[in-house]
Amino acid sequence: MHGSHATGSPYAPHTEEDRTAMLEAVGADSVEDLFDVPAEVSFDGRFDIDARSERETRRLVRSLLGRNDEVTELLGRGHYGYYVPSLVDHLADRSEFLTSYTQYQPEVSQGFLQALFEYQSLLVELTGLPVANCSMYDAATALGEAATLSDRVRDTTGHRVLVPELLREERRSTLENYVAGTDLAVETYPVEDAGVDRAGLEAIADEEVVMIYAENPTVRGTIEEALEAVGDLAASNDALFVLGSDPIALSLLERPADVGADVVVGDASVLGLPTSYGMGMGLFATREEYLRQVPGRLVGASEDATDRRAYTLTLQTREQHIRRERATSNICTNQAWIALRTAMHAAVLGPSGMVDLAERDVRRARDLATRLDDLVGVKAPVHDRHHLREFVARVDQPARAVASDLEKRGFAVHVVGDHEIQVCVAGVPDERLNRFVAALEGVIR
Amino acid sequence: MSDERPDDPQVRYDQARYVENGEYEPLLSEKDLTRVEIGGGDEDAADGESPLPDDLTRDSLELPDLSEPELARHYTRLSQMIYGIDSGPYPLGSCTMKYNPKFTEDVAALPSAAVHPDRSAESIQGTLELLYRLQDYLGRIGGMDAVTLQPPAGAAGEFVGIRVAAAYHEHNGEGHRDEVIVPESAHGTNFATAALGGYDVVSLPSDDEGRVDLEALEAALSENTAALMLTNPNTLGLFERDITEIAELVHDAGGLLYYDGANLNALLGRARPGDMGFDVMHYNVHKTFATPHGGGGPGAGPVGVVDDLAPFLPAPRVRQRDAESTGGEPRYELFEPDHTIGKVHGFHGNWLVLLKTFAYIARLGDEGLADASASAVLNANYLAEQIEYDVPYGPFHHEFVASAGEQDAADVAKRMLDYGVHPPTTKWPEIVPEALMTEPTEVESKDTLDRLAAAFNAVADEDDATLADAPERTTARRIDQTSAARSPRLSWQQLEDDE
C-alpha cells in the first residue's frame, strides 16, 4: 500500500486514493480549501530547504559533526561524561519508553510511572528527604525553582537569596532570571579556600534571608566541610537551606537530610547520559511539609479497581495545566526519559557500584593532583581540601596559553583564573590521564 | 489488514500485565534491597576503604542490587506496560503526538555529538555550525529574524519570551507595563509563565465562534499591557482569522504579540508567525519536528524574535564569523547579545533534541514540511467528520474539540483505552462541555482514522455503567486518583513505612 504513498512527508501515509476519499468525505475539493488562512498572511511554503533521503541526512549530520576535534575532555564543573552501561541505551530506547507522552492515562502507562516512582525512591535514599519530583530541566533551573519555593513557604517576609561567590556564572544568571518576577534579590556570600567562609556568611545572614545555597562538591571539585553550620544558620534565620549536588556525590558524601538541607537540587544526568553539550536533568527533593508547594510532576502509589497497587501522577492541582497562574511552576514537558536513564544506570551500578564510583573519583582526583604537583611549574591541588573528581591546579605560565597548547595536544581543560586551570577525571580512563600528565609536562617545559 | 477492521472497534486489545504474588510487577526494592556500609576510612586509606574521613561521608547506602539479566527483564516488562505512539494512535490534542523517525535517534547517538559544553568554540566547529544552521532554519520557518536555541522546553521558551518582553519594555522606559493578556482557551503554561515573570494575568474570553473577541481584547488592552500570548490556530483548532487586526490593536497599545508555538504543526509552509505580526514566538520542536516525547521529555523550546527584540535574547547565541577574519572559510562562534537577559539554562539547553530537530527538517525540506501540515489538517477534518459526538465550531486545522455531551469525558477516555487506542485530551478547553480534544496528526492513515472513529462511535453508544467500569483490558484497571492525592505515597520507602 505504501508504495503508492503520494505525499511530500515520508511519514504521512496517504495514497492519492485515500486523499481523494477523505476530501470527498469532508466536502472539500483540495487540501488547500481546508486552510482557513486569510490571504494577507498566507505563505507560499518556500523556506529554501532541500529535502534529502534518510541516508543523505545522516551523512550531512555526520559530516558536520565530523568537524569537531577529537579531544580528551578533562572537563567538569557541572557536566560529566561517565561511561553509560549498554543496558541503559538498549532498554531506554525501547520504543514504548521513547514514544509515550506524559502519563495522563495511568492505566496504560504503568511501566513508565513505576520507573519514575523508582527514580523518586532513588533520590529519597540519596538525599534522606522524603519527597522527590520526577525531574526538572537541569541543576540551574532546579535552583531557580528552589528559590521561588523558598519565597512561597517561608513564614516571615524577606527577599535575600544567598549564593556562594564561587558558583557557575550560568547558574547564577539562570537563578536571577527565575527570581526576576519576584521581590527576591540574589546576593553572594564569601568563600575561603573554595569552601563556605562560615564567619563571612554568618556576618551577612539575617532574618531577611529566605534561602542559603551551598554546593557539595563545589564548582571547584572540593568537598564542602561546613554544611551543618550552613544548615544551622539557615534554620536560625527561618531560611531554607538548599544544597546542590548530584547522585554520584550523594552516594558517598554526607546525607543532605543529616546536615539540615531543606531542598536538594542538582544535575542527575551525571548518571545515564554521556556528555551532551550541557543537556541535563534537574533533581529536586525536599521535606514533607513543602509537598504541596513542590514544582513539577510527582508519581504516587495508589490502588486500581482490583485493589492491586498501581501508580499515577498525583497532586496535579499544583501544576500549570490545572492551577494556571497559581501553579507552583510553569514546567510541563520535563526530562522524564533522562530520569528513566538515571534510574537504570543507578540500578546497574547497585549500591556498592555507586559508592565505588564516587570513592574511585576521590582517589583518582587525588592521585592526579599529586602527579601534577610533582611537575615543575605546577601546584595541585590549589585548595587544601578533599576533592571529588576535579580540582584546580596553579600553573606558572598563563593558564589560557597552557589550555590552548593542551588542546593542540588533544586535551581540554577549564581555565578558571589567570594562572589556574581545572581538571576533571570523571569518565577519563587512567591511561588517558597518564598521557595528559605527559602532555602538560611537555606544554610547561 | 482485514477488510472488516475499520467497522469493528472491538479489536482484540489486551495490554501486557505482569502479576506476581497478586500484585503487578514488583518494585526493584521488592526484589532486593542491599545496604552498603561506608566509612572507617581516612586520608591514607587503602582501596576498599573509604578515602574520606567519616565526618564527610554518609554512613550507608541502601539500594536494590540485582544482576543485569534481572534488570533487563524488569525494564522490558515495564516497557511492555506502556502505550506509546509506536503502539498505536495517540490523538492527544495540543500535544502533537506523532510518529518520530528512527534515524534521528541514531544521529543523536553519534559519538561526535557527545561534547562537553565548556569546549572551546574552535574545537567544536561542527556542533556550532549545526546549531547555526538550525537557528537559520527555524528563523525561516517562523518568519523570525533571530533565534535562540537555549530554552529546554516549550514553557521555558515562553519564559524567555516573557523575560525578553520585560527587558525590551524596561529598556524603552516602559517598565510600568505589568499585565499579560491570555485567552481563556490558552495552554495552562501561558498563565503560569506570565505569573512566574511577575505579571498580572488578564484572562480574555472567546467570542461565539471560539476565537479572540476583538471587543474584549480592546477592553483588556491598556498602557499596562506588556504582551498578548496567543496560539494560532488556537486550542479549538481554529485559525484566528482576525490576526492582522489583533496585531494592530496590541501594537497600538504598545504591547508585544507572543506566539505560542504548540500548534505550529498545523501551519508549516502555509503561514508564518512573523508574517502575522507576532514579535516573539517559541517552537515546540518535539511537537512540530522530531523527538519522541520520552514519557514527558526532554523537549526543547527555541525562541524566535523580530529584530527589535534580538538584543535581549539569552546568551550565548551562535553566529558565523566574518569571512575576512577566517580567510573565507566558514567559522562559528558564540556571542552575547547587547542587552541579553542572561541565561535560562545552566549550559546550552537540550542539544540532543536540537540535533534531532535539525535532522528532521533537513530530511523533509520545503515539500515535506508543508505536507506534514496539509496531511495533519486533512486528518483532523476527516476524523471530525467521522465521529458521532457533537463537534462545535469549525473549520478546523490540526485538531478539533468534540463534546461528550451527557457522558463524562474522562470516562469516555477510559473506555477508549479498551479499544486499543489512546484517548484525546479531556475536559479542556473548558469552552466546550465535556471536551474531547483530538489531534490525529499527519502520520495516521485513513484506515487508522476509521478505526479511531469506530472506537469513538462505539463508546458514544455505550451506557454510563460500562464507561464507569472501564478500562478492563489495560495493565491496570481504573486507578483511584483521589486517594493517591489524599494520602500521597511517593517512594518505596514510604510504602514500606506504611505497611
Side-chain angles (χ1 to χ4, degrees):
Chain A
M1 166 171 118
H2 293 106
S4 57
H5 147 98
T7 59
S9 163
Y11 313 112
H14 304 319
T15 61
E16 207 52 63
E17 195 185 356
D18 291 337
R19 196 193 283 239
T20 307
M22 291 165 78
L23 281 170
E24 197 175 316
V26 300
D29 292 334
S30 77
V31 178
E32 299 313 313
D33 292 350
L34 299 174
F35 281 88
D36 187 24
V37 177
E40 72 265 26
V41 295
S42 78
F43 177 71
D44 66 4
R46 288 171 61 179
F47 304 122
D48 292 326
I49 302 172
D50 294 330
R52 295 166 177 81
S53 70
E54 182 174 309
R55 185 178 182 177
E56 283 166 342
T57 310
R58 284 175 74 138
R59 197 183 298 153
L60 168 68
V61 174
R62 248 203 328 268
S63 115
L64 280 173
L65 293 180
R67 291 176 203 169
N68 287 344
D69 297 343
E70 268 195 49
V71 165
T72 298
E73 297 172 336
L74 287 87
L75 298 169
R77 292 177 68 85
H79 188 77
Y80 304 96
Y82 283 98
Y83 174 75
V84 178
S86 291
L87 176 128
V88 176
D89 284 331
H90 281 269
L91 291 171
D93 274 355
R94 284 184 63 92
S95 67
E96 301 92 335
F97 281 125
L98 205 50
T99 74
S100 58
Y101 190 64
T102 304
Q103 300 75 25
Y104 293 132
Q105 297 292 344
E107 292 84 1
V108 287
S109 314
Q110 284 302 294
F112 218 124
L113 288 163
Q114 184 171 336
L116 293 174
F117 186 86
E118 291 177 345
Y119 163 82
Q120 290 174 181
S121 306
L122 166 72
L123 286 198
V124 168
E125 171 61 16
L126 289 173
T127 61
L129 296 170
V131 176
N133 77 14
C134 57
S135 83
M136 312 251 68
Y137 307 131
D138 76 336
T141 54
L143 173 58
E145 298 274 9
T148 59
L149 173 89
S150 303
D151 201 23
R152 289 194 296 277
V153 304
R154 197 174 178 250
D155 290 338
T156 53
T157 57
H159 66 279
R160 303 174 70 205
V161 171
L162 301 184
V163 300
E165 62 184 354
L166 280 182
L167 177 68
R168 265 199 86 103
E169 178 50 34
E170 294 85 347
R171 278 189 193 173
R172 181 180 166 141
S173 182
T174 302
L175 170 62
E176 285 184 339
N177 266 314
Y178 262 82
V179 303
T182 69
D183 294 331
L184 300 178
V186 181
E187 298 173 33
T188 51
Y189 63 81
V191 302
E192 191 185 12
D193 198 27
V196 173
D197 173 352
R198 291 179 216 197
L201 176 59
E202 207 163 332
I204 64 164
D206 61 20
E207 70 278 4
E208 286 293 305
V209 173
V210 296
M211 167 183 145
I212 304 177
Y213 177 63
E215 296 184 336
N216 193 27
T218 70
V219 66
R220 297 196 148 203
T222 59
I223 295 170
E224 183 57 68
E225 292 169 20
L227 293 176
E228 209 164 341
V230 177
D232 290 345
L233 192 60
S236 67
N237 284 296
D238 182 34
L240 263 58
F241 173 25
V242 177
L243 178 63
S245 193
D246 66 79
I248 292 176
L250 289 169
S251 334
L252 176 64
L253 303 181
E254 283 179 285
R255 215 167 63 123
D258 297 339
V259 293
D262 299 293
V263 182
V264 178
V265 297
D267 214 304
S269 67
V270 63
L271 289 177
L273 205 62
T275 51
S276 48
Y277 201 52
M279 185 157 161
M281 195 267 281
L283 72 86
F284 195 101
T286 190
R287 296 181 182 282
E288 180 98 46
E289 61 189 294
Y290 306 139
L291 173 60
R292 281 160 209 277
Q293 290 296 330
V294 165
R297 303 229 138 94
L298 294 168
V299 176
S302 185
E303 284 83 34
D304 73 358
T306 68
D307 293 329
R308 290 190 177 100
R309 189 205 303 146
Y311 307 92
T312 179
L313 293 177
T314 194
L315 298 168
Q316 292 187 69
T317 51
R318 300 164 297 107
E319 293 189 55
Q320 46 73 32
H321 64 284
I322 310 247
R323 190 57 64 87
R324 309 215 299 190
E325 67 265 35
R326 293 190 308 282
T328 53
S329 165
N330 72 336
I331 194 167
C332 177
T333 294
N334 53 29
Q335 306 284 106
W337 187 67
I338 315 291
L340 167 75
R341 295 179 59 99
T342 295
M344 285 178 163
H345 192 165
V348 173
L349 289 172
S352 50
M354 300 262 286
V355 175
D356 285 350
L357 187 56
E359 288 185 340
R360 219 158 53 90
D361 275 0
V362 171
R363 287 197 192 91
R364 276 157 38 89
R366 184 181 294 161
D367 292 348
L368 182 63
T370 306
R371 293 170 70 188
L372 298 191
D373 199 48
D374 287 343
L375 302 178
V376 177
V378 182
K379 178 187 177 337
V382 162
H383 304 294
D384 183 21
R385 303 267 183 179
H386 295 282
H387 292 77
L388 175 62
R389 65 190 161 220
E390 55 195 321
F391 58 88
V392 175
R394 195 193 143 76
V395 286
D396 286 352
Q397 294 171 16
R400 211 158 276 289
V402 169
S404 170
D405 286 351
L406 279 170
E407 192 169 282
K408 288 177 194 135
R409 293 169 189 246
F411 295 93
V413 298
H414 299 279
V415 174
V416 295
D418 292 344
H419 288 276
E420 287 177 327
I421 59 171
Q422 187 167 327
V423 179
C424 180
V425 301
V428 184
D430 289 339
E431 181 269 333
R432 294 278 183 102
L433 294 181
N434 294 340
R435 283 199 260 154
F436 169 69
V437 175
L440 181 60
E441 191 174 16
V443 163
I444 59 173
R445 185 176 289 155
Chain B
M1 202 175 282
S2 120
D3 286 333
E4 303 82 50
R5 201 170 183 191
D7 301 325
D8 173 21
Q10 305 278 346
V11 50
R12 191 64 218 171
Y13 173 76
D14 285 290
Q15 193 181 24
R17 172 187 303 144
Y18 292 92
V19 180
E20 198 172 308
N21 298 325
E23 296 283 346
Y24 300 128
E25 173 71 5
L27 290 161
L28 287 172
S29 64
E30 291 163 331
K31 298 181 177 185
D32 180 79
L33 264 186
T34 300
R35 182 178 298 277
V36 174
E37 303 297 326
I38 298 165
D42 59 51
E43 291 181 43
D44 304 315
D47 271 16
E49 293 172 50
S50 177
L52 294 173
D54 285 350
D55 60 347
L56 294 183
T57 65
R58 56 192 297 143
D59 298 333
S60 65
L61 183 69
E62 186 179 52
L63 289 171
D65 195 2
L66 296 158
S67 70
E68 181 164 327
E70 287 171 305
L71 291 174
R73 288 195 182 135
H74 178 70
Y75 284 111
T76 299
R77 287 174 167 208
L78 293 190
S79 74
Q80 290 172 333
M81 297 192 287
I82 307 169
Y83 187 98
I85 189 73
D86 285 4
S87 314
Y90 217 125
L92 201 61
S94 229
C95 302
T96 312
M97 286 297 294
K98 61 183 181 182
Y99 174 79
N100 276 266
K102 301 304 175 195
F103 86 97
T104 56
E105 295 304 311
D106 292 342
V107 156
L110 288 171
S112 48
V115 293
H116 192 284
D118 290 338
R119 284 274 293 273
S120 74
E122 279 309 304
S123 76
I124 51 163
Q125 285 292 304
T127 296
L128 295 185
E129 178 167 357
L130 193 147
L131 292 173
Y132 178 80
R133 289 198 191 191
L134 180 57
Q135 282 179 186
D136 180 49
Y137 278 172
L138 292 177
R140 285 190 238 174
I141 289 169
M144 290 285 158
D145 298 318
V147 172
T148 174
L149 302 173
Q150 195 177 111
E158 289 178 24
F159 187 52
V160 167
I162 286 300
R163 289 286 305 128
V164 163
Y168 169 81
H169 287 311
E170 191 71 39
H171 184 79
N172 294 332
E174 303 256 304
H176 63 276
R177 293 180 179 272
D178 59 359
E179 292 176 356
V180 168
I181 304 172
V182 185
E184 61 184 19
S185 64
H187 299 107
T189 48
N190 288 182
F191 300 90
T193 299
L196 177 60
Y199 286 100
D200 292 334
V201 179
V202 179
S203 186
L204 191 63
S206 306
D207 67 13
D208 297 342
E209 297 186 325
R211 295 183 171 81
V212 168
D213 183 329
L214 288 180
E215 274 177 37
L217 174 60
E218 256 179 289
L221 287 163
S222 74
E223 69 279 2
N224 294 325
T225 304
L228 165 66
M229 299 179 86
L230 197 62
T231 185
N232 194 16
N234 65 27
T235 54
L236 291 166
L238 311 175
F239 194 85
E240 298 285 357
R241 284 187 296 240
D242 299 327
I243 188 60
T244 311
E245 286 87 337
I246 292 171
E248 241 171 60
L249 286 172
V250 173
H251 289 152
D252 285 351
L256 296 170
L257 194 54
Y258 180 92
Y259 183 82
D260 177 332
N263 298 341
L264 187 65
N265 196 50
L267 278 196
L268 290 172
R270 311 286 161 163
R272 307 193 302 173
D275 302 337
M276 293 185 228
F278 286 92
D279 303 291
V280 49
M281 69 176 288
H282 78 264
Y283 305 77
N284 296 79
V285 296
H286 46 290
K287 295 184 182 182
T288 309
F289 309 105
T291 291
H293 288 66
V303 168
V305 294
V306 295
D307 273 330
D308 284 354
L309 298 181
F312 304 96
L313 287 177
R317 295 183 55 227
V318 187
R319 70 181 168 200
Q320 198 165 12
R321 283 169 57 189
D322 69 86
E324 268 178 47
S325 72
T326 62
E329 190 195 353
R331 304 291 288 177
Y332 302 86
E333 65 187 4
L334 297 170
F335 76 102
E336 188 161 309
D338 290 344
H339 307 296
T340 181
I341 59 164
K343 302 260 316 170
V344 292
H345 185 267
F347 295 99
H348 303 285
N350 283 338
W351 152 247
L352 297 178
V353 173
L354 300 170
L355 182 49
K356 295 178 205 181
T357 305
F358 173 83
Y360 181 82
I361 295 173
R363 168 87 176 91
L364 265 67
D366 288 5
E367 199 195 340
L369 292 169
D371 181 60
S373 278
S375 295
V377 170
L378 176 61
N379 279 2
N381 282 284
Y382 177 73
L383 183 59
E385 194 64 36
Q386 304 303 306
I387 71 172
E388 285 161 19
Y389 286 109
D390 179 40
V391 184
Y393 307 116
F396 304 105
H397 273 245
H398 62 306
E399 65 192 2
F400 61 88
V401 183
S403 174
E406 299 295 304
Q407 292 179 327
D408 183 299
D411 286 346
V412 169
K414 296 300 179 201
R415 183 58 178 155
M416 285 185 75
L417 295 172
D418 281 333
Y419 294 121
V421 300
H422 197 283
T425 299
T426 57
K427 304 215 176 200
W428 184 79
E430 287 154 13
I431 298 169
V432 176
E434 298 301 327
L436 300 167
M437 186 190 195
T438 313
E439 180 181 7
T441 82
E442 71 273 20
V443 302
E444 301 305 348
S445 67
K446 179 173 174 296
D447 285 347
T448 305
L449 296 175
D450 288 337
R451 184 181 142 207
L452 252 176
F456 268 105
N457 296 340
V459 177
D461 291 341
E462 289 180 317
D463 57 52
D464 289 349
T466 307
L467 267 51
D469 203 34
E472 56 184 22
R473 299 178 192 161
T474 49
T475 303
R477 298 290 299 274
R478 185 78 68 102
I479 295 170
D480 181 353
Q481 291 182 286
T482 310
S483 78
R486 200 165 289 154
S487 40
R489 293 174 295 162
L490 307 171
S491 63
W492 62 49
Q493 294 88 342
Q494 213 168 356
L495 286 177
E496 200 167 84
D497 289 349
D498 288 354
E499 272 157 21

